[in-house]
Every structure is written in structure tokens, then in C-alpha cells.
Amino acid sequence: PGRALVPTTGARGVSWLLALLRGIGAGAVLFGTVALSHAEDANGRFAVKGAGTLPCKVLTAEREKKSNGYFLIGGWVEGYLSAHNRYVDDTFDITSFESTELLLAVIGDHCAKHPEDRLYPVVNAMIAKLAEERVRTTSERIQVSDGTRTTMLYQATIRRIQEALAAKQLYQGDADGTFSDATKTALAAFQKGINFEATGFPDQATLWRLLRK
């Protein structure tokens, strides 16, 4: 859910998000402590299909052109995530809030620095980090809107937001998974503290800073 390959950050789009992610070291958060290892069978072999066989430099080139190839790679990532959700135990959704756009920006940032890495191990390393805070069981999706933007968040993710804000002494309410006025006010205070526009809207960059940095 929530992985449509359309801009989710307003008119500034992917280029703005990528610049922001570089500024906050997003790639380092996901890849800094994870070895890029291949999954293998008992004989040390594993069949990788589709875009996973491509080197990072292909993603970098296609992203710059915003080509059909770039969106096809995005489709491969979405399919890989869906298969992970289907076949890995104790997993409802490996992504608790991250859109495909955000994930491609993070992968792209890594690929710009490591052009010869293959996409499969890069995505696999990212999944290993995402798994720590995955949505483990079915969770209701809650619509959050500020009048101009709308997003859908799992109730479980909203509870995490509330807990993270409470840990920073910005939120005093219950972690009940309701995006209340108090939650919005606390999120706006967090945004102000990190020099973001204090809208109180749970956009991708804000949630990345709050929940993953």
C-alpha cells in the first residue's frame, strides 16, 4: 500500500526528496551497517530475475533520464517487496511508511556511490534494515490530510510516531494510533526543531527523520 510511482512531495518531486535524503544521510542509515550479501541455496547458487541483475549504474542513468526503465525498476522493487510480505513469516508489510519513491531515492543515493553493486543485494540489504520496524500483523490504514495533501498511514505506524514524539517530550497523550490534533501539534514541533516547515503533516521526509534517523 502507498507505493504508487507518482511524486508524493509536491511540485519539488523526486529531485527535492533526493537532495534532502542526501542531506540527512538516509543511505547511510539503511546501508551503513549491512553487508551486501547474496542469498544462496545449499550449493551456493541463487537465481535472480529481472532488474535485480542490473548494476547500480544503470539505475543512476535511467533515473537521471526519468525513463521508462527507471519506472520498470521501481515496479521490480515493488514486486520484490510484495513477495517478501507474502512469504516471510511474521510480516504484514516490510515498509511501515516508506513509499516506493522514497525507497528508490535511498537506493539511488547508494548507487551513485557504488555504481558496480548489483541491484538485488542492494535491495536485499535495504530490506534487512526495514525488517527491524516492519508491520508484523494486519493494521488498519488511517487517512491523514492537511487540506492540500493526503496520505495513508498504518495505525501501528501512528502509534510509533506518538511513541517517538513522547520520547522527545513533545507529546503527552496516549499512543492510541489516532492522528489527533495533539499528535499533529507535536509533529509540527518536531519539524520546527529540525528546521522543516512546521505543518504537522506526516510527510515522508519528516517520518524518515523521526522514525529512522
Side-chain angles (χ1 to χ4, degrees):
R3 297 198 187 103
L5 289 179
V6 296
T8 59
T9 53
R12 291 174 289 180
V14 175
S15 60
W16 170 82
L17 178 60
L18 186 58
L20 176 60
L21 290 174
R22 285 174 174 163
I24 65 178
V29 173
L30 280 188
F31 299 111
T33 59
V34 179
L36 299 182
S37 58
H38 294 269
E40 299 173 345
D41 64 13
N43 297 316
R45 306 295 293 273
F46 183 80
V48 176
K49 303 292 187 179
T53 63
L54 298 174
C56 264
K57 59 188 177 185
V58 173
L59 171 63
T60 300
E62 297 306 309
R63 185 185 68 197
E64 290 175 354
K65 295 185 291 186
K66 297 297 183 293
S67 68
N68 288 337
Y70 175 69
F71 293 102
L72 287 172
I73 291 170
W76 178 85
V77 171
E78 289 180 326
Y80 189 84
L81 295 175
S82 296
H84 183 92
N85 293 342
R86 171 64 180 84
Y87 292 107
V88 174
D89 291 339
D90 195 29
T91 299
F92 176 71
D93 196 342
I94 188 66
T95 57
S96 57
F97 68 86
E98 300 86 353
S99 67
T100 301
E101 180 190 11
L102 176 66
L103 297 178
L104 285 174
V106 173
I107 295 167
D109 191 45
H110 173 89
C111 283
K113 300 170 185 174
H114 306 279
E116 299 304 322
D117 284 353
R118 297 282 169 175
L119 287 178
Y120 168 73
V122 171
V123 172
N124 206 40
M126 180 181 69
I127 285 177
K129 292 297 290 184
L130 291 173
E132 297 171 7
E133 295 172 340
R134 68 192 181 277
V135 179
R136 296 173 182 269
T137 61
T138 304
S139 181
E140 182 181 355
R141 297 182 73 209
I142 308 297
Q143 180 173 297
V144 179
S145 178
D146 67 355
T148 59
R149 295 175 292 178
T150 298
T151 190
M152 300 293 292
L153 293 175
Y154 288 120
Q155 193 170 45
T157 300
I158 295 175
R159 283 195 292 268
R160 282 181 58 209
I161 292 169
Q162 292 168 325
E163 290 166 353
L165 292 169
K168 296 179 181 297
Q169 301 183 343
L170 297 172
Y171 177 71
Q172 285 76 46
D174 295 331
D176 58 4
T178 301
F179 200 84
S180 60
D181 288 342
T183 305
K184 180 177 179 179
T185 298
L187 191 61
F190 171 75
Q191 290 170 324
K192 182 178 180 180
I194 59 172
N195 297 317
F196 279 18
E197 184 180 0
T199 63
F201 184 78
D203 58 77
Q204 294 278 293
T206 297
L207 294 184
W208 187 276
R209 285 291 298 266
L210 178 64
L211 300 178
R212 294 214 171 273
K213 187 167 175 63

